[in-house]
Amino acid sequence: MNDAAPAPSSASSPEPRSRARVRAPELRGRSWINTGGEELSLADLRGRTVILDFWTFCCINCLHVIDELRELEERHKDTVVVVGVHSPKFVHEAEHAAVVDAVERYGVAHPVLDDPELATWKQYAVRAWPTLVVIDPEGYVVAQHAGEGHVHAIERRVAELAAEHEAKGTLRRGLAPFTPPEPVAGELRFPGKALVLPGGTFLVSDTTRHQVVELAADGETVLRRIGSGERGLADGAAEAARFNEPQGLALLPGGEVLVADTVNHALRRLDPATGAVVTVAGTGAQWWQGAPTEGPAREVALSSPWDVAWFAGRVWVAMAGVHQLWTYDPEAGTVAVAAGTTNEGLVDGPAAEAWFAQPSGLAVAADGSRLWVADSETSALRWIERQSAHSGEDAEKSEADEPTDGGGFVVRTAVGTGLFDFGHRDGPADQALLQHPLGVTALPDGSVAVCDTYNHALRRYDPATGEVSTLATELREPSGAVLAPGAAEEADGAPEIVVVESARHRLTRLRLPEDAVRVEGVAHRTQRAATEVAPGALRLDVVFQAPAGQKLDTRYGPATRLVVSSTPPGLLAEGEGTDTELHREVRLAGTEGTEGVLHVSAMAASCDEEGEYPACHMHQQDWGVPVRLTAGGADRLPLVLAGLDS
């Protein structure tokens, strides 16, 4: 996730971690979740190490961190308290009921402060989601980490703090204040995606219950459950297999079903006849920068696959965790990157150069010519097609005729402008707005239905007219939809569509209206204010301090890398590109009031200082910093990767 907010300017240094005595600001927000109604303060938590996790539930990187923290919380449950601070990006995420749902949906097992006005976010000068702040047992901030992959460093710090404060007599052991929500009865709980099986029944990913469920043609009656219901990664018979928050489903040509097992970072093959499950792609570990991007499917790590679709002779995978599309070849047993650079944003063009932002829904056009993509973090509807298809050349290729490794494809955008603009506005596609869509469905007439998740609506884009309209409202977080069995043969032009209403825990059948619903347009921008910077010279400083007991890993060359670019590209007059230093002098072009986004990607490799087989780690974060050129603005932009900005 790469939105960022302004923070006070301060000096930066790559020197070893200092014990700056910075008193942690109080936790202030609207209300608390998972505490049984009790309000907490830092004083209540004194004597234990507190880890503040600044997150927002749209952000895939934030969800990764929640999962990373689970084992740490369990191992140090008597000395550590994790507190989630929910700081919203989208308007929908500021709704308290939506935050409560998200806490349950993602199995958050610690107190969460709902902070819709960003009061605590601002007090801690947070710049990006996710950010982790470590507070010692005496109430002082001792570390800050942006992005994923820092839990190993935090765990070492936690152990140091426990030993230090036990010796001082300032450690107070005890379990974290946590009151889990009451279990709720029902056939489904936060379902993700659905698929129509050849027999006319529905297969649904019952995400929060870690199962795949088959429903009868009525969309309500449970025929069977596949998966034990316990979080995990295990192959086997229907009752023994384990999933971890599964999402997308796709029917393979041979009749088997492929499941995007999101939190397991894996693709699973399901036999509809027997219910048996086998892992076909992924290692069970999350992909990190520098890892292989193609090869034998079981030997290459994946990152939060969210949806899958059969297109152009391959399974295409919406790899939400790294902002890319990958392909999986079931016959060869291989995977490969097909589109996207891992940079987060909205950039069209050749597939290898395009940028995505958490692609979460896929659907193949009725004629097989293009693959529609719900690109959630840019609130965009996009598509991928062969380069010849857009130029008007003969592209009448069957999707089964011509396999692909991703080459020769181009990415286009139908609706959406970038990371920070969203809303609910119909009309010409270049003016229309969505809000964090998660699903797309190709309609028989060549148009596409969009599950406009955070607008609680079903929208429609018609390529023939270039218009966006609203088909239905008052849905609750629709996350996927499928045409009802036989819908493509409807004679009256009004087929039925079955929508996954994730936050209502059900499938909802709708007849597509001939006339669209009229909705008064509304536009929003993210609540993150632009950072005011001075025109001209600007110093970018990425703060990185290797964890205690580790040093920069220079065995194979430079241990750090910094990549800088901008939207629009002309915002950067100087300083764009890649280098090995974590600081850079750039020059901003424009006049007073010019706005844009600085895209900053930083990586640092560190290894244990001692040991025959030192453990090594990659630290990485991408920032998208909205900036406004202002006379008297800052001439330095500090971004904390790990440590404290002194």
Side-chain angles (χ1 to χ4, degrees), residues 188-412:
L188 302 173
R189 199 67 186 165
F190 298 106
K193 307 286 185 182
L195 173 71
V196 178
L197 292 174
T201 59
F202 295 93
L203 208 60
V204 182
S205 53
D206 196 10
T207 303
T208 298
R209 291 189 176 140
H210 315 296
Q211 292 179 318
V212 175
V213 179
E214 185 177 2
L215 301 179
D218 62 7
E220 298 179 4
T221 305
V222 174
L223 300 179
R224 60 175 169 165
R225 294 183 177 275
I226 300 168
S228 69
E230 296 182 39
R231 185 189 296 268
L233 176 57
D235 292 339
E239 64 277 6
R242 291 189 181 186
F243 297 96
N244 198 342
E245 298 181 23
Q247 287 282 347
L249 305 164
L251 192 65
L252 300 179
E256 294 178 309
V257 172
L258 202 68
V259 182
D261 196 6
T262 304
V263 178
N264 277 328
H265 311 295
L267 302 180
R268 318 288 295 282
R269 189 178 66 228
L270 188 160
D271 183 346
T274 66
V277 176
V278 62
T279 302
V280 295
T283 64
Q286 184 183 343
W287 184 92
W288 288 100
Q289 289 286 351
T293 56
E294 61 180 346
R298 288 304 312 275
E299 298 176 15
V300 177
L302 310 180
S303 183
S304 296
W306 206 276
D307 203 5
V308 282
W310 181 261
F311 174 64
R314 295 284 189 273
V315 175
W316 287 64
V317 184
M319 204 69 75
V322 286
H323 318 299
Q324 291 180 312
L325 302 182
W326 288 39
T327 57
Y328 162 62
D329 181 349
E331 185 173 342
T334 57
V335 293
V337 172
T341 65
T342 74
N343 289 328
E344 185 180 9
L346 194 155
V347 177
D348 289 341
E353 301 172 14
W355 293 20
F356 294 91
Q358 220 168 291
S360 301
L362 301 175
V364 181
D367 64 359
S369 64
R370 60 178 59 172
L371 179 68
W372 294 104
V373 182
D375 202 26
S376 62
E377 276 300 298
T378 53
S379 296
L381 171 65
R382 308 175 73 184
W383 80 87
I384 187 165
E385 64 186 359
R386 296 189 186 279
Q387 289 182 313
S388 60
H390 197 73
S391 64
E393 300 174 21
D394 181 15
E396 298 296 320
K397 304 285 187 182
S398 164
E399 63 183 72
D401 289 342
E402 197 166 328
T404 177
D405 59 1
F409 281 80
V410 65
V411 177
R412 314 275 186 192

Side-chain angles (χ1 to χ4, degrees), residues 48 61 64 73 82 89 128 196 210 215 237 245 258-259 272 331 355 401 452 560 566 571 583 632 634:
R48 284 164 286 181
N61 312 91
H64 290 167
E73 290 182 83
V82 176
K89 171 186 176 180
V196 178
H210 315 296
L215 301 179
E245 298 181 23
L258 202 68
V259 182
E331 185 173 342
W355 293 20
D401 289 342
D452 194 6
T560 58
S566 67
L571 179 65
H583 58 82

Side-chain angles (χ1 to χ4, degrees), residues 568-581:
L571 179 65
L572 272 177
E574 297 176 13
E576 184 174 5
T578 303
D579 203 347
T580 58
E581 297 293 332

